Amino acid sequence: MIPAPFEYVRPTTVEEAVQAVAEGGDDVKIMAGGQSLIPVMRLRLAAPETIVDLGRVAEMRGVREDGDALVIGAMTTHAEVIADPLIAQHARLIAEATETVADRQTRRRGTFGGALAHADPAGDLPSVALALDAEMVVAGPEGRRTVPAREFFVDYLTTALDEGEVLVEIRVPKLAGDWGVRYEKFNRVAQAWSIVAVAAAVRRENGHIAEARIGLTNMGPVPLRAPATEAALAGASASPDAVAAAARSAAEGTSPSSDLNAQADYRQHLAQVLTRRAVATAAGL
């Protein structure tokens, strides 16, 4: 179908984008890559009065270093994320998960920030941002502020972005030390949406696991960490038995949904299995 008529604004700076959103009326939508917005507009499930297209805001693109952190522009495409040498060196988990997003065509248009702001619980990147303790830098009428990933995802398709705010960039702490990472995903072959997925980053010291960070995809309305498993792994021996024992707690505190793809109890089972696999691979076992 053809989308309903709308006003179209294409700013070239963050300040222009914030102003355009403020002037866009009661029903304004921000478009990054458009891979989620355009399909629902074509089906007329959404009919915004104004579209603010961020495609020409150059300062929201690219990856750079800032001390102990990487700064990823919200308009950096998935394909650019996968190919970026800084991400490969300091945040390989992001590239590994991004390689599983949708298909090659979508990865050429879809953006890192757009996927995070969309906040789909079955999306791959929110749980990775959570596992890596990322921070979201947002701009609005009152200026800029920083929101930790653990506070950014509020509910199903809902974030901490206030009215008139734009996600500008994502700050990701560099993984310093002997870190291994892995993104394990279970999905239908015909779709790239995760039924369940697990993002794991593991730091080893002297044959033991010194620290583990685990993010869960599609185990509730927002991405979740697995604190019980993380606590069980801290100081544990880097052995298959220790990892398997800790992974049994991965689904604690989760509230997965039941749908045509999987029942809630099966998702909880998948969380344990995928956590064991992801942590074992990240730990080099």
Side-chain angles (χ1 to χ4, degrees):
M1 294 177 62
I2 298 174
F6 57 88
E7 296 293 325
Y8 180 75
V9 184
R10 202 170 195 186
T12 58
T13 67
V14 172
E15 291 73 22
E16 289 178 3
V18 171
Q19 182 178 354
V21 172
E23 297 173 351
D26 295 332
D27 192 6
V28 58
K29 291 290 186 184
I30 298 171
M31 184 168 73
Q35 301 304 290
S36 298
L37 178 60
I38 291 176
V40 297
M41 288 178 63
R42 286 176 61 87
L43 293 170
R44 299 213 175 188
L45 297 175
E49 296 176 359
T50 304
I51 295 292
V52 178
D53 183 354
L54 302 179
R56 289 186 178 174
V57 184
E59 63 190 287
M60 292 177 62
R61 261 198 135 105
V63 182
R64 59 182 172 85
E65 292 182 273
D66 184 11
D68 294 332
L70 291 184
V71 182
I72 306 173
M75 287 298 294
T76 307
T77 67
H78 299 313
E80 291 167 339
V81 164
I82 292 169
D84 190 87
L86 289 175
I87 290 177
Q89 181 179 358
H90 299 294
R92 193 171 74 253
L93 183 58
I94 294 177
E96 187 172 313
T98 304
E99 287 176 342
T100 75
V101 171
D103 52 33
R104 189 170 298 176
Q105 294 90 330
T106 298
R107 292 194 293 270
R108 297 290 294 183
R109 293 289 303 171
T111 65
F112 187 58
L116 296 176
H118 187 47
D120 192 316
D124 298 291
L125 301 180
S127 66
V128 174
L130 192 65
L132 295 179
D133 292 331
E135 295 179 326
M136 319 301 176
V137 179
V138 302
E142 305 301 321
R144 298 196 180 196
R145 65 189 181 101
T146 300
V147 184
R150 63 182 179 275
E151 299 174 9
F152 185 75
F153 305 103
V154 176
D155 205 342
Y156 180 78
L157 301 180
T158 305
T159 70
L161 286 169
D162 290 334
E163 185 175 347
E165 288 188 323
V166 177
L167 176 59
V168 175
E169 60 191 26
I170 300 90
R171 297 181 60 86
V172 182
K174 296 177 182 178
L175 292 180
D178 185 15
W179 285 89
V181 299
R182 179 67 175 174
Y183 190 71
E184 283 284 342
K185 176 173 176 176
F186 187 85
N187 62 287
R188 293 174 60 189
V189 173
Q191 296 178 340
W193 295 111
S194 296
I195 295 175
V196 173
V198 175
V202 175
R203 180 168 61 88
R204 292 182 57 168
E205 284 184 0
N206 302 319
H208 287 74
I209 295 174
E211 182 181 357
R213 303 179 190 172
I214 300 166
L216 305 176
T217 298
N218 215 8
M219 288 299 290
V222 297
L224 300 169
R225 291 282 285 263
T229 297
E230 292 178 352
L233 288 170
S237 64
S239 67
D241 289 344
V243 170
R248 297 189 189 105
S249 304
E252 288 185 9
T254 64
S255 55
S257 62
S258 294
D259 55 28
L260 293 175
N261 291 314
Q263 296 297 305
D265 59 346
Y266 182 55
R267 280 192 162 95
Q268 291 175 327
H269 167 72
L270 282 174
Q272 297 176 39
V273 172
L274 297 179
T275 296
R276 174 175 54 79
R277 293 177 182 174
V279 171
T281 300
L285 302 179

